[in-house]
Amino acid sequence: MAHSSRDTAEGAGWGNAQLGTYKGLMPARVEKLSWLDPRTLWPARNGVLASWFGDPTGRTRGRWVEQRVAAGAPADAVVRRTDSDHFSFMVIGDTGEGDDPQYAVVPGFLKASQGTDFAVLASDVIYPVGSTEDYGTKFFRPYRDYPAPIYAIPGNHDWYEDLQGFMRVFCEAPPLTPQARPRPLTRAWFRSLLWHSPGTADEQRLAEARALRSAPSQQAVQPGPYWAIDAGPVRIIGIDTGLLGTIDAEQGRWLREVSRGERPKILVTGSPLYVDGEHHPCAIEGGGTVDAIVRDPEHHYVAAIGGDIHNYQRYPVRVDGGRTIQYVVAGGGGAFMHATHTVPRVSVADVTEEEFRCYPLRGDSLAFYSRLYGRRLRMPRFFTLTEAEATAVIAERLGIPPTRTQGEPVRLTRRIRVVASLLGAGRRPGRNTHFRLPVRKTYTQLFSPGSATYSPPFFKCFLRLDVTPSAVHLRCHSATGTLDHEIDPPVEDEVTIPLS
């Protein structure tokens, strides 16, 4: 088995390892997606408009669901598969930027997924706005050699064109009929003046893209943007958290209904319930939260997996009745890497730092971002930290031992400590945070690695879940872009989840 980042620096992808073969999978011309480019940001404005003038996604989602039921989709949105009591599936989140980091995941994903029965894409299938035109290079091409069906739940970026591309590809749904313009001078009217709407799809282009995944074994038509899959001994439930990370009242009613019964359940959501050392229970319109449904002992949830945040995190949370629910973040499937070095020493829901897991390791994350800032600000001598320096300063700030064994002791200089503070490295609770940038997403989007880094290590990841009648074995595999990790994808974390 290949060394992981928890074993060696080489296992993290540092050093001079041979570049992987992934570039041979990419199209001849790749559009470099930059989140600093106004041409990227302007079409993605609907999230801001929804927060200012009201979120219309609940009504739009309801129209999609009504259309699908009228077309013959099951009213309960349950896919009833015929898998045996021993089966496997993949989960990969936040994939679709269509550039080197996304394609670097593919060889290892194909290797680790051998023998699996299906895959689930967890949030943000297509960046920047979920356009139908982008599905060829950002979905059909990278996963054309995965031989089994792929189901998906949408993320906020898939909603930036009213979910039209997502529904067309995964549900074979025609566009919704246009609605009358809102009454003048209402909040909805002001929102509609600036709302980004989908264009007309190029049917020939879409047909050519579909041909890349046209084998009978690859086909699946899901009931809608949210669904449940009965497979073997478990029920997998995928919810759609829309533009703002909440669900509407009708979806909440459906979620309560499909969560009933003794069958063990796994939630897949576009908004993780535990992330960055914080609890985000996910509000339901009209009252209640998604996490309250997950925690209810009568619903028998064993795990909740969320995308949206582009890394891996796991929180084993003990709940009523002596049960432990594994809360997992799994959004590292291709989009730019969100920092983990900003995660403070974990102490949430009685989960300790020793129980918490993340990938990339905080030290690798800090070293990665120090290189990024050194290049972007043209100050490499000041900003750049070696992985050993970054690991040592994280250990000091959090008061924890280094995750992997280090060589010679590192002398922590004032420069190293200042760089760690400037880049928002986490601290122990209650410690002073001078120089720390106040909001993690502010700077990870300011200098997004997705628009600046096209060489390893990429620090991407995906999950494989092997199900038996008694347990689910979850593995997080890494993808760095190096050849050795394509051949033998390292296991960064694994846990066995009892189903009883």
Side-chain angles (χ1 to χ4, degrees):
M1 181 179 293
H3 284 162
S4 75
S5 68
R6 303 183 75 84
D7 301 317
T8 66
E10 292 73 22
W14 300 116
N16 298 311
Q18 184 177 348
L19 184 69
T21 62
Y22 65 88
K23 284 187 176 290
L25 305 174
M26 299 173 66
R29 181 180 176 276
V30 176
E31 180 183 356
K32 305 282 190 179
L33 182 63
S34 171
W35 294 101
L36 298 176
D37 189 338
R39 292 172 297 179
T40 300
L41 295 175
W42 179 242
R45 62 189 178 272
N46 286 0
V48 175
L49 294 174
S51 65
W52 289 353
F53 299 110
D55 184 0
T57 56
R59 290 190 299 276
T60 305
R61 184 187 297 114
R63 294 180 66 210
W64 282 120
V65 171
E66 288 176 6
Q67 183 205 74
R68 292 292 297 129
V69 171
D76 61 1
V78 177
V79 177
R80 293 172 174 87
R81 294 179 54 86
T82 57
D83 304 288
S84 73
D85 283 347
H86 294 73
F87 78 97
S88 303
F89 69 102
M90 305 296 288
V91 176
I92 182 169
D94 298 81
T95 54
E97 286 195 350
D99 50 15
D100 291 58
Q102 179 178 9
Y103 279 87
V105 177
V106 174
F109 176 85
L110 294 176
K111 182 68 180 289
S113 67
Q114 291 177 7
T116 57
D117 296 273
F118 59 90
V120 176
L121 295 188
S123 178
D124 290 341
V125 180
I126 302 294
Y127 292 93
V129 295
S131 172
T132 307
E133 307 303 307
D134 287 335
Y135 269 86
T137 57
K138 299 179 182 181
F139 173 70
F140 288 107
R141 185 184 183 101
Y143 310 116
R144 60 184 172 180
D145 293 326
Y146 179 66
I150 297 177
Y151 303 93
I153 57 166
N156 58 309
H157 287 267
D158 300 305
W159 268 101
Y160 288 159
E161 289 198 350
D162 294 336
L163 211 61
Q164 181 166 292
F166 181 97
M167 293 297 296
R168 190 67 184 277
V169 168
F170 292 103
C171 305
E172 297 185 355
L176 294 173
T177 56
Q179 288 193 305
R181 199 169 184 83
R183 187 161 48 88
L185 303 182
T186 61
R187 293 177 75 199
W189 180 78
F190 283 113
R191 183 182 64 225
S192 70
L193 296 178
L194 293 174
W195 194 257
H196 174 71
S197 298
T200 303
D202 183 330
E203 296 298 331
Q204 181 177 348
R205 184 173 176 179
L206 180 58
E208 291 171 353
R210 283 189 184 277
L212 297 173
R213 278 187 53 84
S214 57
S217 65
Q218 296 175 314
Q219 305 312 302
V221 179
Q222 62 189 54
Y226 55 87
W227 41 258
I229 297 174
D230 285 346
V234 301
R235 170 169 282 187
I236 304 159
I237 297 174
I239 61 172
D240 169 16
T241 55
L243 283 171
L244 301 181
T246 60
I247 67 174
D248 61 278
E250 176 56 28
Q251 187 180 180
R253 182 204 62 76
W254 169 86
L255 178 61
R256 292 183 177 96
E257 183 66 30
V258 297
S259 296
R260 292 175 181 166
E262 295 185 359
R263 193 171 194 158
K265 298 173 185 72
I266 299 170
L267 182 75
V268 183
T269 169
S271 300
L273 303 179
Y274 282 89
V275 61
D276 296 345
E278 299 174 349
H279 183 209
H280 298 271
C282 187
I284 299 174
E285 180 187 24
T289 68
V290 169
D291 196 34
I293 295 173
V294 169
R295 287 169 175 261
D296 188 327
E298 294 187 359
H299 294 159
H300 299 276
Y301 279 88
V302 297
I305 302 171
D308 188 52
I309 302 302
H310 307 166
N311 53 47
Y312 172 81
Q313 301 174 43
R314 181 170 64 84
Y315 301 81
V317 177
R318 290 169 288 278
V319 296
D320 292 344
R323 299 174 302 129
T324 296
I325 299 175
Q326 299 291 339
Y327 290 86
V328 176
V329 179
F336 70 87
M337 186 261 283
H338 277 138
T340 58
H341 67 265
T342 56
V343 180
R345 180 166 176 155
V346 169
S347 179
V348 60
D350 294 326
V351 177
T352 65
E353 177 65 32
E354 291 71 27
E355 296 169 310
F356 169 70
R357 293 291 183 270
C358 70
Y359 176 81
L361 298 178
R362 291 180 178 99
D364 291 329
S365 170
L366 179 58
F368 181 96
Y369 269 89
S370 75
R371 286 160 169 76
L372 173 67
Y373 269 70
R375 287 194 303 271
R376 280 302 183 94
L377 298 179
R378 299 183 181 180
M379 300 173 65
R381 294 185 62 185
F382 174 73
F383 269 102
T384 302
L385 304 180
T386 67
E387 59 83 18
E389 291 170 338
T391 297
V393 74
I394 287 291
E396 178 188 74
R397 291 172 70 89
L398 296 182
I400 60 175
T403 303
R404 62 175 175 254
T405 303
Q406 300 296 302
E408 294 296 320
V410 173
R411 185 175 71 87
L412 291 178
T413 64
R414 178 174 176 81
R415 178 189 72 87
I416 294 171
R417 292 187 174 103
V418 168
V419 169
S421 292
L422 287 172
L423 296 184
R427 299 293 293 261
R428 280 174 279 180
R431 291 291 298 272
N432 146 341
T433 55
H434 292 316
F435 302 112
R436 183 179 176 187
L437 294 179
V439 182
R440 173 184 57 77
K441 282 193 175 181
T442 299
Y443 76 82
T444 58
Q445 291 175 354
L446 178 63
F447 290 139
S448 154
S451 60
T453 303
Y454 294 97
S455 59
F458 292 117
F459 296 110
K460 303 289 98 188
C461 57
F462 53 87
L463 308 182
R464 175 174 173 138
L465 293 92
D466 296 296
V467 182
T468 70
S470 61
V472 176
H473 190 70
L474 180 152
R475 295 184 186 91
C476 173
H477 291 273
S478 61
T480 63
T482 63
L483 181 61
D484 55 340
H485 290 171
E486 289 184 354
I487 295 170
D488 188 6
V491 176
E492 292 292 337
D493 184 36
E494 58 184 322
V495 62
T496 298
I497 306 169
L499 293 184
S500 58

